[in-house]
Amino acid sequence: MIEVASAANADRQVLRSPASEADGGPEDRGLALDLMRCMWRAREADASVPRTDAAADVVASMFEENTHVLRQIMKQYGWPGYKLVGERAAQAAWHIAHYCPDIGFQAEALQLLGEAVRAGDADPQHYALLADRLCAVRSQPQRFGTQYVPDGAGGLALYPVVEPRRLDDRRFAWGLEPHAEWDARVRGDAALVGFIGPRRP
C-alpha cells in the first residue's frame, strides 16, 4: 500500500484553528512535548535504523511505546486536539495513531479524532487519512480517496473507493478539497508519496 502523505507535507496541510499556538498556545505544554518527542523519535528511528529484523524489532517496540503514550492521553482527555496540545503536537498524535500496529486502537483513535474534527479541534485530512488506512488494512474500499497503489507501469492507481460517485460528497462533508485537486497534488508531488513508520507485515 502506498500512503499519500509524508510527515512534512502533513505539517503543511494542518488547518488553522481558533485554538492554535498563535492564540496563546496549548493548554498543556507538557502533553504537547510528550507527543512531539514521540514523533521525533519515530522519524529518527525510521530514517536511521538499518533494515534488519533486529532493528525492525527495536523500531516496533518504540512505536508501541509511542502508542502507549497516546493511549493514556486519550483515556484521560479524549483526542489531543489543537486546544489541548496545539497544532504540531496534534499532528504528532495523528502520526502515532496512523502508524501504530494495533488496528483496534486505530479505530478508537479514529472515533475520537472524528469528534475533535467536528468540534473544529483537529485536521479533517488527518481523519480522512486514518479512516482510509483502516479500510485498506481491512481490505475494504476506502471512503475519502487518500490511498494509492502501484499501477504496474511506474505510476499510481487509486485504491478502490466505496461509492465513487459520492466521493466528493463525503469529502465536502468533512471539509476536504475536491478529490481531483488532491489527486493532482499527489501525482505532481513525489514527496506526498511515502510511508511514515514501519510498514505493516
Side-chain angles (χ1 to χ4, degrees), residues 2-6 9 13 98-99 125 129 142 145-149 156 182 186 191-195:
I2 295 180
E3 308 273 354
V4 289
S6 70
N9 281 283
Q13 295 158 2
H98 195 69
Y99 294 97
Q125 186 158 254
L129 286 162
Q142 62 179 327
T146 67
Q147 307 293 292
Y148 291 71
V149 294
L156 297 175
W182 168 258
V186 168
L192 277 172
V193 181
F195 280 95

Side-chain angles (χ1 to χ4, degrees), residues 78-165:
W79 184 258
Y82 298 146
K83 184 177 181 181
L84 181 65
V85 299
E87 290 184 11
R88 291 189 177 276
Q91 153 74 14
W94 166 80
H95 182 281
I96 295 168
H98 195 69
Y99 294 97
C100 89
D102 185 337
I103 297 175
F105 175 72
Q106 286 184 314
E108 180 184 353
L110 181 66
Q111 179 178 347
L112 295 177
L113 176 55
E115 294 172 1
V117 170
R118 286 188 287 268
D121 198 33
D123 185 352
Q125 186 158 254
H126 289 170
Y127 179 84
L129 286 162
L130 182 55
D132 283 352
R133 180 173 177 85
L134 270 171
C135 289
V137 169
R138 292 168 170 166
S139 298
Q140 299 171 348
Q142 62 179 327
R143 296 166 54 194
F144 299 102
T146 67
Q147 307 293 292
Y148 291 71
V149 294
D151 65 3
L156 297 175
L158 183 65
Y159 182 78
V161 175
V162 64
E163 297 185 276
R165 292 183 179 180

Side-chain angles (χ1 to χ4, degrees), residues 25-49:
E27 289 182 353
D28 196 318
R29 294 184 182 276
L31 290 181
L33 185 57
D34 287 344
L35 290 167
M36 292 300 297
R37 283 172 177 157
C38 287
M39 186 168 69
W40 293 331
R41 185 171 54 188
R43 288 183 182 177
E44 181 178 357
D46 194 50
S48 62
V49 173

Side-chain angles (χ1 to χ4, degrees), residues 6-26:
S6 70
N9 281 283
D11 277 336
R12 292 203 301 268
Q13 295 158 2
V14 170
L15 302 183
R16 301 300 296 179
S17 163
S20 68
E21 289 96 328
D23 298 303

